[in-house]
């Protein structure tokens, strides 16, 4: 395999944000009269809002009506409240710089909304290396993760075929989404999922720093 590019999830992969997303969902649902516990929604982080809303508000859609208002409220909380508290995953900037210096193309493949992306890139400390122009988000896909749409859109935008890339992710939904698109995944534990949940990844590392430390023996060096 001759690697030509790397697809990048953002939340939980490059920035430690999964707990914040879960809490934002709890607060957004509460604002509309739905009692959702943190521990109920946390395992679903990595799915898009269109997937999450119906699980706790049956009959609602994350794309219209009150369901969309709940999803929009979560987005607002991330941008205006939680975004200021987020920190990069260890080694994020150095790993992305290493990948790009190796001549590999980089393309974001995230379930985040376009409006959230600039906040997340800044929080990850990579807004000097990655831009909204090198990204596919929820607005580029009919269905969010674990559907393959976002990964397929990222492949099209970066101009590469599935066998030519590896995706970096942190949730079983990243692995499922990429797998349906024929893309292999390197997974990070820093998103809060355990190895059994990440078992379909081709390799698992603690975080970007861990991958960087073992780069020469990793799938990225292939």
């Amino acid at each position: 395999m001759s690697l030509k590019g790397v697809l990048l999830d953002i939340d939980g992969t490059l920035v430690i944000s999964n707990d914040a997303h879960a809490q934002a969902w709890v607060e957004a649902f509460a604002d509309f009269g739905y009692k959702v516990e943190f521990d109920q929604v946390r395992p679903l982080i990595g799915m898009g809002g269109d997937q999450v809303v119906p699980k706790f508000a049956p009959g609602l859609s994350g794309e219209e009506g009150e369901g969309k208002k709940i999803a929009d409220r979560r987005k607002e909380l991330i941008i205006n409240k939680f975004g200021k508290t987020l920190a990069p995953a260890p080694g994020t900037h150095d790993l992305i710089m290493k990948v790009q210096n190796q001549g590999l193309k980089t393309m974001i493949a995230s379930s985040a909304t376009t409006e959230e992306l600039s906040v997340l890139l800044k929080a990850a400390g990579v807004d000097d290396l990655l831009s909204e122009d090198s990204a596919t988000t929820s607005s580029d896909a009919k269905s969010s993760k674990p559907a393959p749409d976002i990964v397929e859109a990222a492949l099209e935008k970066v101009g590469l075929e599935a066998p030519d890339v590896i995706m970096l992710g942190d949730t079983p939904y990243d692995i499922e989404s990429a797998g349906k698109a024929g893309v292999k995944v390197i997974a990070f534990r820093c998103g809060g999922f355990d190895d059994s949940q990440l078992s379909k990844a081709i390799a698992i590392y603690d975080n970007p720093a861990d991958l960087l430390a073992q780069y020469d023996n990793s799938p990225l060096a292939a």
Side-chain angles (χ1 to χ4, degrees), residues 5-16:
V6 179
L7 305 185
L8 304 162
D9 176 60
I10 296 285
D11 284 301
T13 300
L14 304 184
V15 60
I16 304 299

Side-chain angles (χ1 to χ4, degrees), residues 1-6 103-106 158 160 163-166:
M1 169 178 159
S2 178
L3 193 64
K4 297 177 182 176
V6 179
L104 299 174
K105 293 182 178 180
T106 49
V158 78
L160 295 174
D164 299 328
V165 306
I166 286 175

Side-chain angles (χ1 to χ4, degrees), residues 29 49-62:
F29 276 112
D50 58 320
Q51 312 274 348
V52 175
V53 169
K55 292 186 182 298
F56 300 105
L60 294 187
S61 164

Side-chain angles (χ1 to χ4, degrees), residues 9 11 18 21-22 25 41-49 51-52 109-112 144-147 150 170-174 177 193:
D9 176 60
D11 284 301
N18 287 352
H21 280 289
W25 275 119
V41 72
R42 180 59 176 83
L44 304 180
I45 299 305
M47 289 184 174
Q51 312 274 348
V52 175
S110 171
S111 287
S144 62
K145 298 172 186 174
I150 289 170
D170 69 294
T171 76
Y173 315 114
D174 293 323
S177 173
F193 291 85

Side-chain angles (χ1 to χ4, degrees), residues 103-167:
L104 299 174
K105 293 182 178 180
T106 49
M107 175 63 60
I108 297 163
S110 171
S111 287
T113 64
T114 304
E115 296 91 333
E116 290 170 271
L117 188 60
S118 61
V119 173
L120 295 170
L121 289 175
K122 184 173 286 189
V126 292
D127 49 332
D128 61 327
L129 301 175
L130 301 169
S131 72
E132 295 174 42
D133 295 331
S134 58
T136 50
T137 62
S138 59
S139 60
D140 297 297
K142 183 177 180 181
S143 297
S144 62
K145 298 172 186 174
D149 302 30
I150 289 170
V151 177
E152 291 171 347
L155 287 171
E156 184 174 349
K157 193 167 185 177
V158 78
L160 295 174
E161 300 294 323
D164 299 328
V165 306
I166 286 175
M167 182 167 172

Side-chain angles (χ1 to χ4, degrees), residues 188-209:
F188 294 144
R189 299 181 182 98
C190 53
F193 291 85
D194 64 35
D195 286 14
S196 67
Q197 295 168 297
L198 304 174
S199 62
K200 292 185 179 178
I202 58 170
I204 305 174
Y205 298 90
D206 288 342
N207 50 40

